[in-house]
Amino acid sequence: MAVEGQTKEQKERSAVVKRARQSQWPAIPMDEALKAIETLARKFQPESKCFPVAALQPGRVLAEQIFAPEDVPRTRTSIKDGYAVIASDGAGKREVIGFSTAGGPSNQTLKPGQCIRVSTGGVIPAGADAVVQVEDTELLKDDGENELVIKILKAPSVSQDIREKGSDVKLGSLLLDVGCEMGSAEIGLLNAFGIQHVEIYRKPRVCVLSTGNELVEPYMPQVPLGHIRDSNRSQLLALFRGQNFKAIDAGIALDKVETLEYAISVASQFASVIVTSGGVSMGEKDHLKEVLQDRLNLKIQFGRVWMKPGLPCTVAHGSIADREVVVFALPGNPVSSWVCAHLFVSPLLRFSAGLSRLHATKIRVKAAEEIKLSPRPEYCRAWIDMEKGGDLPVATLTGNQISSRLMSLVGAQVLLILPQKGQISDGSKIKEKIEAGEILDAIVVGPI
Ligand SMILES: Nc1nc2c(c(=O)[nH]1)N[C@H]1C(S)=C(S)[C@@H](COP(=O)(O)OP(=O)(O)OC[C@H]3O[C@@H](n4cnc5c(N)ncnc54)[C@H](O)[C@@H]3O)O[C@H]1N2
Ligand code: MOO
């Protein structure tokens, strides 16, 4: 028991003997954890603002429906470089009375036997009802500079090679919907209609904090024995920034309840989503759960998930100084925090960013090799080969999958979803492994 007058070391030792020897937190199944995240996400509704289209970057999310303010094309235009004609004139001679180029429309009206030279995108002059491409004509007469008479080789049909008014987009039709992620095409489309301002969602902010007495800044030239460089923070910041969220560096906090409480409170002033790594397992310095629940009075939504990696992953929700927050206390192992960030943090941030799809894309792949199953459902990192395997891409594990091995994340394109080792559905035998060639679901986490 801790008594007055104890040294710091004595106090720490007494904390060790008092620690629980079993986790008080049930390891909930993955689908339950994901449901909890989806429920929580709804508390972090996206916020919008008006934004100039000229400054839009890919990845921004639209917060309003955009309707076409005009027809495209606004008037009938030519699909080909050639001649605007009257179809009923058929094949044969035509007098060339002028030209209508893109940007230089003609104000002449065609009469039978006449044609007007047009370029692709040029306005179809009055009286014309077809375009004949230049390849289907012959020049019969010119004055050295201008074409005067041509011959149409094939009889044209009405509407041939004419883009009718509104045939691409009708005035008032829906161009882009709420939740649409801006890419190059969407930015181009807004500009095609001269739309100058749109309502977009604000990027959600996420604060990233590393915890652990053993951590030193990555730039430190000397790393004392027993210490390691903090890699989780930069890794998670880069992950969230790469997903278009605003990620804020909250530094490193020592494994001390007061320090952790302080660091998380400070973080809550900058972002309503806080991500920590480390200190959630069974060690005597693993204080995160206690800090979240007992010192910050947050409600722990779950304190363990039956998954690998990421077993002690913890999520807490509540208010700190009247600000609603969610804290994702991820396990310290670099692979565990990365996998949990993809599976739990990103979906909540995606919701808060206004995106219509919360979860990453799932694909079906073929296992390249035999994979031993673990007692927990596992999310294995894998590379994808689109060429091999015929109908489905082939997934090869990124080497040893231990949760400390950061190398297993390098170039990872998918997380293979492996069931836990156990009885197959008809109960006939225990499934111990995935066979080479077996088809699996996989979550896309990198460019394919
Ligand atoms: N008795 C038990 N021990 C452990 C259990 C358990 O159920 N019972 N769970 C294991 C699992 S699973 C995981 S995952 C880890 C997670 O532990 P913590 O979240 O408490 O993380 P730490 O102990 O603080 O760190 C674990 C590991 O990761 C390194 N680390 C931590 N932070 C960083 C960082 N910012 N950058 C790079 N590396 C970091 C740390 O040095 C440790 O090596 O617990 C198992 N133990
Ligand atoms: O399940 Mo822990 O997350 O890596 O080893």
Side-chain angles (χ1 to χ4, degrees), residues 333-373:
N333 275 321
V335 174
S336 316
S337 57
W338 191 86
V339 168
C340 291
H342 271 288
L343 297 178
F344 301 128
V345 187
S346 295
L348 185 133
L349 288 172
R350 286 175 64 82
F351 181 87
S352 192
L355 286 162
S356 29
R357 220 164 34 83
L358 259 57
H359 297 289
T361 307
K362 262 191 204 167
I363 57 171
R364 310 209 84 195
V365 297
K366 259 188 211 166
E369 62 217 305
E370 186 180 294
I371 309 171
K372 270 207 185 128
L373 293 175

Side-chain angles (χ1 to χ4, degrees), residues 411-429:
Q413 294 164 294
V414 294
L415 294 175
L416 292 183
I417 307 176
L418 303 187
Q420 68 187 61
K421 180 160 68 180
Q423 283 202 329
I424 61 167
S425 48
D426 66 4
S428 59
K429 60 172 184 182

Side-chain angles (χ1 to χ4, degrees), residues 309-311 333 336 376 403:
L311 177 66
N333 275 321
S336 316
R376 284 178 267 158
S403 59

Side-chain angles (χ1 to χ4, degrees), residues 227-397:
H227 286 64
I228 57 161
R229 295 186 187 89
D230 173 10
S231 58
N232 285 355
R233 197 165 30 120
S234 50
Q235 180 176 307
L236 294 171
L237 285 167
L239 172 69
F240 299 134
R241 285 174 188 156
Q243 293 174 337
N244 243 313
F245 308 127
K246 234 178 219 160
I248 302 159
D249 186 345
I252 299 173
L254 296 178
D255 289 318
K256 226 176 134 207
V257 282
E258 295 81 3
T259 314
L260 293 167
E261 180 186 357
Y262 180 78
I264 294 171
S265 301
V266 171
S268 73
Q269 299 307 301
F270 291 90
S272 45
V273 181
I274 300 165
V275 175
T276 68
S277 64
V280 282
S281 193
M282 296 293 290
E284 66 263 29
K285 301 260 189 250
D286 292 342
H287 302 306
L288 244 300
K289 286 178 165 97
E290 172 198 339
V291 167
L292 295 173
Q293 183 174 255
D294 303 334
R295 296 189 74 108
L296 291 165
N297 291 320
L298 301 179
K299 183 169 184 318
I300 297 200
Q301 309 292 307
F302 53 82
R304 287 197 306 155
V305 183
W306 192 239
M307 65 185 288
K308 186 182 173 185
L311 177 66
C313 183
T314 300
V315 175
H317 169 251
S319 294
I320 301 177
D322 288 335
R323 288 173 66 99
E324 188 173 13
V325 292
V326 53
V327 181
F328 290 88
L330 308 183
N333 275 321
V335 174
S336 316
S337 57
W338 191 86
V339 168
C340 291
H342 271 288
L343 297 178
F344 301 128
V345 187
S346 295
L348 185 133
L349 288 172
R350 286 175 64 82
F351 181 87
S352 192
L355 286 162
S356 29
R357 220 164 34 83
L358 259 57
H359 297 289
T361 307
K362 262 191 204 167
I363 57 171
R364 310 209 84 195
V365 297
K366 259 188 211 166
E369 62 217 305
E370 186 180 294
I371 309 171
K372 270 207 185 128
L373 293 175
S374 146
R376 284 178 267 158
E378 190 170 3
Y379 294 84
C380 286
R381 283 72 63 207
W383 298 302
I384 289 295
D385 189 327
M386 302 297 282
E387 312 301 324
K388 250 200 269 169
D391 48 343
L392 286 177
V394 170
T396 306
L397 292 188

